[in-house]
Amino acid sequence: MSTPSAPLPEPAVPYPPVRRPAARRPWHPAPAGLLPALAVFLAVRAAGVVAVVVTSRLYGRPVTKNLAHSWDSNWYLHIATHGYGHLIWITPTGDVQTDWAFFPLYPTLIRAVTAVLPLSPGGAALLIAWCAAVVAACGIYAVGHRLYGRAVATAWVALWASLPHSVVLTLAYTEPLFAALAAWCLYAVLTDRWLTAGVLAALAGLSRPNGIAAAVAVVAAAGYAVLRCRGRVPAGLWVGAVLAPLGWAGYVLWVGRRTGDLLHGYFRVQSAWSSRLDFGRGALRFLKALFLHGGGVVYPLALVVVAAGVVLFGLLCLGRAPLPLVVFAGTLLLMVVAVSGPFASKPRFLLPAFPLLVPLALALVRTWRTKRARALLLGGTLTAVSLAYGTFLAAVARQPL
């Protein structure tokens, strides 16, 4: 990577530490430069929707199925329409998969939207996902702008829009909702809004099984603040830290109560979906099968994405990124590596781990300032690959997304 010949305005360290002002700054939901970054995000994702629609028609497949009724989306739509406990699936191996594996915030919002707008459940699910993706992009920009400035924040949002699996942001999935809640939760932590952070983390915990990562980040940051200030912290910090895990824990206990096993019931439900904590043994079995038998396109690229996540996390740590970002991304990455499950879906599980893109955003900005043509080529290539591969996943491939 080339370095600039003239001094740059940023500090010498790659990830400048957060500067805490003496007085609390007001909440700025729209920092300078947000609109251009948001325009880039919307342009990339709108192109993704068009690509999926056109490809679906070329292959003679229903557009609504590929966008709103694919894989996990059907479970959320059924929960929104009929509630929990009405849908089970018996796998070829005899496992009983139930809808209790799916967290309640997304289907609850779908039901709420259909109650006030003349939309089908699928249409409401897409509306929520698309709006949440925009809110998430704004939150990522706000975090990046506060920590690293406008240029890095813009690059960060553009990279997140152009990931190979960012097509999920235009489907009826829960990742956009989780990413939106997590992004603004981290922003609230960085601006010492502990009560807001706790509420957002609790909601994130109601959105997805790995939503607990937001609560872990809040609790870790709160614990560090307590140690740094020797216990002299505002009451809101304690309240936020207590609230943060309640959403995730509340649903897990509710499922446990419904199954008759308060503490272990939810994890048994997840086990029927081949999702269990095995400390990477499932990943090793996948690697063995991949090298022995191959895996087409989807599985090798999934492996590349997960491996890249591990490398980027190391760079994030070496760059002294703020603790909440490191803990949040690290928790999501740990759950991907240490928990078994369909490997083709693991890159999707990493999509909300946007802090992993900080090293790439900083590198892209440095390249832009010294070799603009190279930066444009890199960004354009990544976007083209993302749109092509995302369209393949959503409209052509048969593997679970």
Side-chain angles (χ1 to χ4, degrees):
M1 183 66 64
S2 299
T3 55
S5 57
L8 298 179
E10 282 90 350
V13 295
Y15 306 119
V18 181
R19 293 183 176 89
R20 302 280 187 181
R24 178 188 291 185
R25 293 178 181 177
W27 183 288
H28 291 296
L34 172 62
L35 291 182
L38 194 57
V40 172
F41 176 83
L42 291 174
V44 173
R45 295 317 331 145
V49 173
V50 172
V52 171
V53 170
V54 172
T55 305
S56 298
R57 290 182 175 175
L58 289 176
Y59 277 80
R61 297 178 182 176
V63 175
T64 54
K65 175 175 174 55
N66 286 336
L67 289 176
H69 296 271
S70 60
W71 303 106
D72 289 0
S73 301
N74 289 321
W75 290 83
Y76 286 111
L77 294 175
H78 193 277
I79 295 168
T81 305
H82 304 286
Y84 281 100
H86 298 286
L87 183 60
I88 65 172
W89 171 258
I90 309 298
T91 69
T93 59
D95 290 324
V96 179
Q97 296 177 341
T98 71
D99 53 15
W100 288 333
F102 298 90
F103 276 53
L105 183 59
Y106 191 41
T108 300
L109 292 176
I110 294 172
R111 179 176 292 185
V113 170
T114 56
V116 298
L117 294 178
L119 292 174
S120 67
L126 283 178
L127 177 63
I128 294 167
W130 292 354
C131 291
V134 173
V135 174
C138 294
I140 294 171
Y141 184 88
V143 173
H145 186 274
R146 178 176 177 83
L147 295 177
Y148 308 115
R150 176 174 176 173
V152 175
T154 302
W156 197 356
V157 171
L159 287 169
W160 192 60
S162 304
L163 289 176
H165 287 73
S166 288
V167 67
V168 174
L169 299 176
T170 54
L171 305 181
Y173 272 75
T174 55
E175 275 74 17
L177 179 60
F178 173 37
L181 293 168
W184 287 106
C185 172
L186 293 176
Y187 183 79
V189 171
L190 294 173
T191 54
D192 294 327
R193 268 75 178 183
W194 294 102
L195 183 58
T196 301
V199 171
L200 292 174
L203 291 173
L206 287 170
S207 66
R208 287 193 49 76
N210 57 0
I212 188 63
V216 174
V218 171
V219 172
Y224 176 74
V226 170
L227 291 176
R228 186 187 60 191
C229 300
R230 298 181 181 181
R232 294 189 294 271
V233 293
L237 182 146
W238 298 104
V239 176
V242 170
L243 287 175
L246 292 186
W248 186 88
Y251 181 71
V252 168
L253 293 176
W254 180 83
V255 173
R257 183 173 178 272
R258 294 289 297 270
T259 61
D261 187 347
L262 184 64
L263 298 180
H264 303 100
Y266 170 77
F267 302 102
R268 291 180 179 174
V269 168
Q270 283 287 2
S271 181
W273 288 82
S274 300
S275 178
R276 62 183 67 89
L277 180 65
D278 64 359
F279 301 100
R281 288 193 295 271
L284 293 177
R285 288 194 297 269
F286 163 79
L287 288 175
K288 180 180 178 180
L290 182 63
F291 287 121
L292 289 178
H293 309 292
V297 176
V298 174
Y299 291 104
L301 188 56
L303 176 61
V304 170
V305 171
V306 174
V310 174
V311 173
L312 290 173
F313 180 71
L315 295 175
L316 191 71
C317 295
L318 291 174
R320 296 180 294 169
L323 178 66
L325 273 64
V326 172
V327 172
F328 176 71
T331 303
L332 288 176
L333 186 61
L334 179 63
M335 296 179 76
V336 164
V337 174
V339 177
S340 64
F343 210 92
S345 299
K346 289 186 180 292
R348 171 168 66 88
F349 301 157
L350 278 178
L351 187 62
F354 51 85
L356 295 176
L357 298 175
V358 168
L360 294 180
L362 288 163
L364 186 60
V365 169
R366 288 196 297 267
T367 303
W368 174 265
R369 286 172 174 159
T370 57
K371 297 182 178 180
R372 186 161 298 188
R374 178 180 295 182
L376 288 173
L377 178 62
L378 289 173
T381 302
L382 180 60
T383 302
V385 171
S386 169
L387 294 177
Y389 186 67
T391 302
F392 171 75
L393 286 177
V396 180
R398 297 294 185 180
Q399 286 90 347
L401 181 59

